[in-house]
Amino acid sequence: MAATFRRRLQRGAASTAVAALVLAALTASQAPGATGAAAAKRRPAPPPADVPIDGGSAYYTDLPPLKSPVPQHGSPHTGKGPATGRGPAEAGLPATVLAAYKKAASEIDASDPGCKLPWQLLAGIGKVESGQARGGAVDAEGTTLRPILGPQLNGHGFARITDTDAGRYDGDLTHDRAVGPMQFIPSTWSNGGPDGTGWGADGNGDGKKDPHNVFDAALAAGRYLCAGDRDLTAQDDLDRAILGYNHSDEYLRTVLSWYAFYRNGTHEVPDGKGVLPVHRDAGRSGDDSGGRSEGARHHGRGPGGKPDKSPRPGDSGKPGKGQQHHPGKPGRPDGTRPTPDGTQPPTQKPTPTPEPAHPTTLVRVGDKDLTTTAGTEFATPPQVRAQDAKGKAVAGVPVRFTLPAATDARFPGDASAVTVKTDKNGLATAPTLRAGDRTGDFRIRAATVEHTAPAVEIGATVKAKPAPKADKLARTSDKELTATAGKAFAEDAVEIKATYQGESAAGVAVTATMVTNDPQQPVENDKGPYFKDPEATGADKHKPVRTLTGLTTDANGLLKLPKIYTDAHSGTFLLRLTTADGAVLTVKLKVAAPAGS
C-alpha cells in the first residue's frame, strides 16, 4: 500500500510527505550498524511509516482526569508500576481486558526482555482504540460480544484500502475496516507482519489468531510495539512505537496521557463495567460500527483546526521533531491555545448527529429454503429486510449471517460468518454461499449487530451430487485384440471412453464381464479370457475373475481395463462393458491356438 494514511485529508500533500519522511528517518535510525551476535538478536523492523497498524482510523480523544497529571519531563518509569488501588472511575480496567494486557506483557518480557514493554502502554492504546473493548464487553475467552469495527476505509475522510480479507474479519466485501479491541486492519493482521504472515497472534492458546479476541490482539500489539529492537524505556523508541501504530501527534499525546495515568494506579472492575469514552478525533466522516460516539472535540488542535505545537507528554520541553515550545502559554484542557491577545478561544462543542432509525424486526426475504448440490454455489444468496415498527425499511443496519457448525458450507474466504449492511431498501444480502461435501439440512442465522431486533433463520439444504451419466461407450482404438491361448493380451489392450450427450463423462462406473456368445441372453462365461483379482492373496491370486465392478472413468471419461489373461481355450470371445444408465459396448477378443497344437 503506497498511499500515505493521513489523519485528515485537509492537510496539504507537502506536510504529509514531510511527516512520512521524518518518521521513515526515525525508523531507520533504530538500527545503526548492528553486527555479530547483536545483529542476530535484532527483532524485525515494523512496517514503513505509510502503513499504520490501525490504518489511520479514528480513535477516542478523551483525556484522563486531571487528578492524575501527566509527567512533562522525561519518559514515564517503565518498571512494573505502583501498586494498584482505588481511584477515579476511569482508572478501573475490566477484569478480562486487564488480564489480557498483563499476560501479553509477561509473555513478551520472557521472549524479548530488552523491549521492557509495560502492560500500561497496551492499556493506553486499548483505551484510545476501543475504550478497553467497549468497557470490557467480552466473553470468558476474551472475544468481543459484538464486532468492534472502525469506519469504512473508502477514501472519504479516511485512507482508501480496498477489501483484503473477503470480509473475513470486518464483514466488508468492498473496503477494509480496523477491527477488534486493538483496531488492526485486516491486511496488517493477516499478511503485514515482518515475515509476511501478519502480526496476528494467538494470545489465549486456543489455536486461532482472532483480532476480535483481546488476548490475541494485545499480544499482537505488544509484539509490534517491540519490533525493530526497540527499548521502550527510551523516549524516542516509545514515541516511534506509538506513532507507528497511528501516525498522529495528537494520537501520541493521547496515548502517553493514558499510559502515565494508568501507571499512577489502576483497579480491576467487572467485565462490561468499564468507563466508556464519548469523544473521538475530529475531522472524521463515515460510520463507526465500533460504537464510537459521533460527538467530537478538538484535542491537540489550536484555533482554526491547526495542530497544537505544545510539548507532548514525555518531551524534554525543547523544540524538536516538528514541535515548537511556547513558554508561559499553557494549552487549555481541550487542547486549544491562547489567541495572540491573550484571550482564550471558545471551546468547540460537538455537532449533534441525528439519531438513526432503529430496526424493530428482521424479515426473511423469500419463502423457500435455499437448495443446492454438494460442492456447488447456492443460486440465491441469504437475504433479510430490516424494518421499523411501521414496516418502513431501515438502511445502514449491520446484519451478521452465521452458519452452524453442522455444515461445511462457507462464505467467500472460507468464512462461517459475515456482516453486511442493509441497503436503501433495508435489504441485507449475504455474499455467495458455497456448499461443501456434507449433505443435509441446516439453518442460517441472521441477526443485527448493534440492535435488539430478534434474529431470523433461513433454511438451507445440500443434496448429494447425482451419479455421473454416460449414454455411450466406445473403444479409443480400432486395432484387433488378439492373444495366444495360455498367454495374456498386451498391457492396457482395452481402453474405452464414456460420453454423455457428446461430452466426456467423468466418474462413470463401468462393469466389465466376459460373456457367452448368446446375443439374446449373454451370461458370464466360464472359460476363455479372464481377469485376476488385484486384491487377492495366496492361491486366489491366480484364480480367474470374469466380472469386474467398481471400474470408473477418469476426468476425461477414459478407462483402461486391467490386464486380460487367457486359459487353454481358443476362439473368439466377447467382453461386455455396461453402465448403470444402459450404455453398452461389446468387444471381441480373439484367442489363437498355440503353434503346433
Side-chain angles (χ1 to χ4, degrees):
M1 288 173 284
T4 299
F5 296 179
R6 295 169 291 182
R7 293 303 304 155
R8 291 176 177 82
L9 294 184
Q10 59 262 38
R11 291 180 179 173
S15 63
T16 302
V18 171
L21 290 172
V22 170
L23 187 57
L26 291 173
T27 303
S29 70
Q30 295 178 63
T35 58
K41 295 180 180 179
R42 295 187 66 82
R43 294 178 293 277
D50 64 345
V51 188
I53 283 292
D54 69 358
S57 192
Y59 59 88
Y60 289 114
T61 60
D62 295 48
L63 294 177
L66 294 177
K67 65 172 62 178
S68 177
V70 178
Q72 294 298 314
H73 298 285
S75 171
H77 175 64
T78 54
K80 297 302 180 183
T84 59
R86 306 300 297 184
E90 290 85 348
L93 292 173
T96 301
V97 176
L98 176 59
Y101 295 151
K102 290 184 175 180
K103 185 176 186 297
S106 176
E107 183 171 330
I108 291 174
D109 184 58
S111 62
D112 187 7
C115 177
K116 304 180 183 66
L117 170 70
W119 65 261
Q120 292 92 338
L121 179 57
L122 294 174
I125 292 175
K127 179 69 174 182
V128 301
E129 291 289 354
S130 69
Q132 311 300 12
R134 291 200 193 95
V138 297
D139 61 20
E141 302 301 321
T143 302
T144 56
L145 299 181
R146 58 187 176 91
I148 300 176
L149 305 176
Q152 189 181 63
L153 300 176
N154 56 14
H156 300 298
F158 300 95
R160 185 177 187 273
I161 308 178
T162 55
D163 177 55
T164 63
D165 66 334
R168 177 182 180 184
Y169 297 122
D170 57 13
D172 195 321
L173 297 174
T174 59
H175 295 83
D176 273 351
R177 299 167 180 258
V179 298
M182 304 303 277
Q183 290 288 276
F184 278 81
I185 52 175
S187 58
T188 302
W189 183 267
S190 299
N191 53 32
D195 58 357
T197 59
W199 289 95
D202 178 13
N204 61 354
D206 64 356
K208 298 183 293 184
K209 297 178 180 180
D210 183 3
H212 297 286
N213 182 280
V214 69
F215 287 95
D216 295 359
L219 180 58
R223 287 176 177 171
Y224 168 76
L225 293 169
C226 288
D229 202 35
R230 290 187 180 119
D231 175 358
L232 297 182
T233 61
Q235 187 67 48
D236 282 350
D237 276 1
L238 179 64
D239 288 358
R240 289 190 196 102
I242 299 171
L243 284 171
Y245 208 105
N246 187 310
H247 188 207
S248 160
D249 284 346
E250 299 150 76
Y251 180 88
L252 174 65
R253 284 191 289 271
T254 307
V255 169
L256 287 177
S257 296
W258 282 105
Y259 170 38
F261 176 75
Y262 289 137
R263 294 202 60 77
N264 285 336
T266 61
H267 60 273
E268 181 182 300
V269 298
D271 288 343
K273 300 298 183 181
V275 175
L276 294 175
V278 295
H279 301 97
R280 67 174 184 174
D281 59 322
R284 287 301 177 183
S285 63
D287 66 285
D288 182 356
S289 300
R292 295 172 179 170
S293 169
E294 289 298 321
R297 64 180 178 181
H298 293 252
H299 279 308
R301 300 185 69 78
K306 295 181 180 180
D308 177 8
K309 301 300 183 178
S310 60
R312 59 177 175 261
D315 278 350
S316 64
K318 299 178 181 180
K321 296 186 180 180
Q323 306 242 343
Q324 299 177 1
H325 184 44
H326 301 277
K329 294 185 178 181
R332 290 164 54 104
D334 67 355
T336 60
R337 298 195 57 79
T339 57
D341 62 2
T343 61
Q344 296 285 355
T347 302
Q348 300 187 43
K349 297 181 180 180
T351 301
T353 300
E355 184 70 17
H358 295 290
T360 57
T361 57
L362 286 180
V363 180
R364 173 180 166 176
V365 177
D367 56 358
K368 293 183 179 180
D369 286 351
L370 310 180
T371 304
T372 193
T373 56
T376 64
E377 295 179 349
F378 285 86
T380 303
Q383 189 179 59
V384 295
R385 182 175 186 267
Q387 59 188 38
D388 59 19
K390 297 180 179 180
K392 185 178 179 181
V394 182
V397 178
V399 176
R400 190 164 183 82
F401 293 88
T402 305
L403 302 173
T407 182
D408 58 355
R410 290 293 181 267
F411 294 112
D414 198 32
S416 60
V418 294
T419 301
V420 297
K421 284 191 174 182
T422 56
D423 60 18
K424 63 181 181 180
N425 298 314
L427 297 176
T429 305
T432 302
L433 178 62
R434 185 177 185 83
D437 295 328
R438 195 176 303 172
T439 59
D441 301 331
F442 63 92
R443 311 290 290 179
I444 306 166
R445 186 175 187 271
T448 57
V449 175
E450 299 177 343
H451 307 288
T452 58
V456 297
E457 291 188 342
I458 303 169
T461 300
V462 178
K463 298 180 179 179
K465 291 182 179 180
K469 294 182 178 182
D471 56 15
K472 183 178 180 180
L473 296 176
R475 284 186 63 197
T476 59
S477 171
D478 57 1
K479 184 178 180 180
E480 187 177 58
L481 300 171
T482 62
T484 302
K487 304 292 184 179
F489 285 83
E491 197 82 32
D492 299 331
V494 180
E495 182 183 60
I496 64 170
K497 181 169 185 176
T499 57
Y500 181 71
Q501 296 180 354
E503 300 292 333
S504 298
V508 175
V510 177
T511 298
T513 306
M514 300 296 179
V515 298
T516 62
N517 291 339
D518 185 348
Q520 301 300 323
Q521 290 184 325
V523 295
E524 184 180 276
N525 209 336
D526 59 356
K527 60 184 178 181
Y530 63 90
F531 302 105
K532 289 183 180 180
D533 186 350
E535 299 181 359
T537 59
D540 290 339
K541 289 177 62 177
H542 304 289
K543 185 177 180 180
V545 175
R546 290 188 167 88
T547 298
L548 284 182
T549 59
L551 303 173
T552 306
T553 59
D554 64 14
N556 297 314
L558 298 174
L559 170 63
K560 289 182 179 181
L561 267 63
K563 191 173 184 178
I564 301 174
Y565 301 86
T566 67
D567 57 14
H569 298 85
S570 59
T572 299
F573 300 89
L574 300 180
L575 168 62
R576 192 168 188 260
L577 303 162
T578 60
T579 69
D581 301 303
V584 178
L585 172 65
T586 300
V587 179
K588 290 183 178 181
L589 302 174
K590 293 185 177 181
V591 180
S597 62

